[in-house]
Amino acid sequence: MADKKFNVAILGATGAVGTRLIQQLEQSTIPVNEVHLLASSRSAGKTLHFNGKPVTVEEAVPDSFNGIDIVLASAGGDVSGRLLPEAVKRGAVCVDNTSHFRMDDNVPLVVPEVNPDALAGHNGIIANPNCSTIQMVVALEPIRAQYGLKQVIVSTYQAASGAGQSAINELRSEAQDYLDGKPMDAKILPVKGAEKHYPLAFNLLPQIDVFEDADYTHEEWKMIHETKKIMLGDKNAPDIKVTATCVRVPVPIGHGETVYFETEQQPTPDDLRAALAKAPGVVVQDDPSKQLYPQPLTAEGKRDTFVGRIRADVENPGAYHMWVVSDNLLKGAAWNTVQIAEELVARDLVRVPDGAAKLFN
Ligand code: NAP
Ligand code: 3JN
């Protein structure tokens, strides 16, 4: 096993996340034998590169997974729902970046800094959480582990790239039109296919994805349920109360979050800084005297989650604020996905248990 090299397929390889999956795999500790780059028929035949060598993009079909050991998937929930069971049937272990399998009881939802042991009983599919959830739980887990956690109230400031390459393009062309004094033409945000579209450039959109129960958006419900599944193993766990407001901001890359939380004990802000400073994947940037705090521009291209503005709520003992920023396409998507795959390799878990494929039929 020590010398094994893995055949890896990247599903959605041409997308905003997929291109970063290629880079993160190139920089990973995973010993790669062959890499297969899969997308839709639209991109079949295009040339991308892996470690400097050209690789032709293939149309993703069930037989694309013959002989594949690891699938890194980021081509949307419907594609994962259709193709990942086929990959598992053919013996490939899949790390899925979409929401399709996240709440399935047979599927671990994993952030390696928080719940890596959930990988142990996997059935061939492991889910990568939503980007906004990942960076929040990376910052909250060291606090929960040391001081207990009762409640979380989060507001997000989410970059355009969370909605795909087409949303980044839309933000750029709207910004140019605004500066040129022309009308802005919104066709994608806040949600592709919705009845109304609004410009994001020079604006804020308090809607990410569609509206659902209790007037929360789908993105807000994802943050609530995913946080509970990752931290407590149950999407409805009552032990930590979580509520969210998700807002799209005119930033290309890098999600910000104000996280207000209440702990069981009453640490000082310095205690919280110390707990975060030694936590894996976290970089504390918190010095008001030097105007040091995390920003999307400085987080872009990095794998870490950056935390600053840590302070107590002076009118509510045991409650605190912090500001959390991360590259949504890396720690929020491609890096977390590849990091899960690294963990599977390190733990000798790149195998599909007998009979697992039927769980996803
Ligand atoms: P994107 O830039 O629009 O890229 C979509 C990718 O999916 C492209 O490679 C596209 O290939 C491929 N694709 C589309 N339809 C396909 C099909 N029928 N068969 C095979 N491949 C197909 O989107 P993105 O931002 O990379 O996001 C992709 C997905 O990743 C999202 O839908 C979402 O599920 C997930 N995501 C997760 C997070 C997170 O929070 N963890 C964040 C962002 C995205 P073509 O080039 O052929 O069109
Ligand atoms: O909008 C963002 O900033 C994050 C978006 C994530 C996303 C976009 C389209 C589809 C997801 C996701 O991963 O939660 C999905 C999805 O797979 O449901």
Side-chain angles (χ1 to χ4, degrees):
M1 192 66 193
D3 295 331
K4 173 143 172 84
K5 287 190 162 195
F6 299 90
N7 293 338
V8 182
I10 297 181
L11 175 58
T14 53
V17 176
T19 49
R20 283 158 180 89
L21 281 171
I22 297 173
Q23 295 163 4
Q24 293 301 306
L25 183 63
E26 285 173 338
Q27 294 162 24
S28 86
T29 58
I30 299 169
V32 176
N33 182 36
E34 288 172 14
V35 72
H36 292 244
L37 302 181
L38 310 176
S40 78
S41 56
R42 291 180 292 277
S43 296
K46 275 190 188 163
T47 303
L48 295 176
H49 290 83
F50 184 76
N51 279 337
K53 297 200 178 98
V55 182
T56 304
V57 176
E58 299 161 55
E59 180 181 357
V61 294
D63 283 341
S64 305
F65 303 104
N66 291 336
I68 297 293
D69 301 301
I70 301 172
V71 179
L72 307 174
S74 195
D78 291 347
V79 179
S80 283
R82 184 164 50 81
L83 287 179
L84 297 194
E86 297 292 339
V88 173
K89 231 184 259 174
R90 289 162 173 80
V93 175
C94 305
V95 187
D96 185 23
N97 191 42
T98 82
S99 62
H100 190 86
F101 294 100
R102 284 182 197 149
M103 289 305 139
D104 187 325
D105 288 341
N106 296 305
V107 174
L109 181 64
V110 175
V111 178
E113 290 87 345
V114 180
N115 63 339
D117 295 340
L119 290 171
H122 82 75
N123 293 298
I125 298 179
I126 297 97
N128 186 80
N130 177 269
C131 44
S132 305
T133 308
I134 293 175
Q135 66 183 66
M136 182 172 79
V137 298
V138 167
L140 281 175
E141 175 59 16
I143 295 167
R144 188 203 64 80
Q146 210 161 332
Y147 300 109
L149 195 57
K150 293 197 286 194
Q151 181 167 21
V152 180
I153 302 172
V154 57
S155 296
T156 69
Y157 300 66
Q158 294 183 224
S161 53
Q165 189 57 49
S166 55
I168 305 177
N169 299 344
E170 177 162 281
L171 172 61
R172 287 206 179 111
S173 70
E174 285 171 357
Q176 193 60 59
D177 285 343
Y178 184 91
L179 295 173
D180 292 343
K182 295 183 192 156
M184 293 188 276
D185 186 19
K187 290 201 177 70
I188 292 166
L189 293 172
V191 186
K192 262 180 215 164
E195 192 183 326
K196 290 185 179 168
H197 298 289
Y198 305 114
L200 179 63
F202 304 96
N203 199 12
L204 299 171
L205 299 175
Q207 181 189 357
I208 298 189
D209 216 326
V210 295
F211 284 99
E212 293 183 341
D213 284 0
D215 292 341
Y216 283 67
T217 63
H218 192 46
E219 184 82 353
E220 290 158 355
W221 280 118
K222 280 179 186 172
M223 288 197 79
I224 294 166
H225 290 142
E226 292 179 18
T227 300
K228 289 169 184 251
K229 180 167 174 179
I230 296 162
M231 292 183 118
L232 304 170
D234 170 2
K235 77 165 191 161
N236 291 311
D239 312 49
I240 301 175
K241 291 185 197 158
V242 183
T243 190
T245 302
C246 294
V247 180
R248 186 77 66 196
V249 300
V251 165
I253 291 177
H255 287 0
E257 295 176 348
T258 55
V259 184
Y260 179 84
F261 56 96
E262 283 189 56
T263 49
E264 304 276 357
Q265 298 172 40
Q266 294 189 10
T268 64
D270 277 341
D271 293 334
L272 296 175
R273 277 183 211 102
L276 286 163
K278 58 177 197 251
V282 176
V283 174
V284 176
Q285 291 180 326
D286 194 18
D287 189 346
S289 73
K290 297 194 169 93
Q291 289 180 273
L292 177 68
Y293 36 73
Q295 300 168 43
L297 274 180
T298 50
E300 183 176 341
K302 314 248 169 61
R303 287 175 165 179
D304 292 310
T305 296
F306 299 88
V307 186
R309 303 296 322 278
I310 299 160
R311 63 209 191 277
D313 177 346
V314 292
E315 296 197 327
N316 188 7
Y320 308 85
H321 297 273
M322 63 182 171
W323 168 242
V324 181
V325 177
S326 191
D327 184 323
N328 54 301
L329 298 176
L330 292 185
K331 185 55 188 166
W335 165 233
N336 200 69
T337 301
V338 171
Q339 195 185 9
I340 290 170
E342 282 190 353
E343 213 45 64
L344 289 167
V345 170
R347 292 174 183 234
D348 197 9
L349 288 170
V350 185
R351 72 173 76 84
V352 175
D354 289 344
K358 69 175 185 306
L359 294 171
F360 304 112
N361 280 335

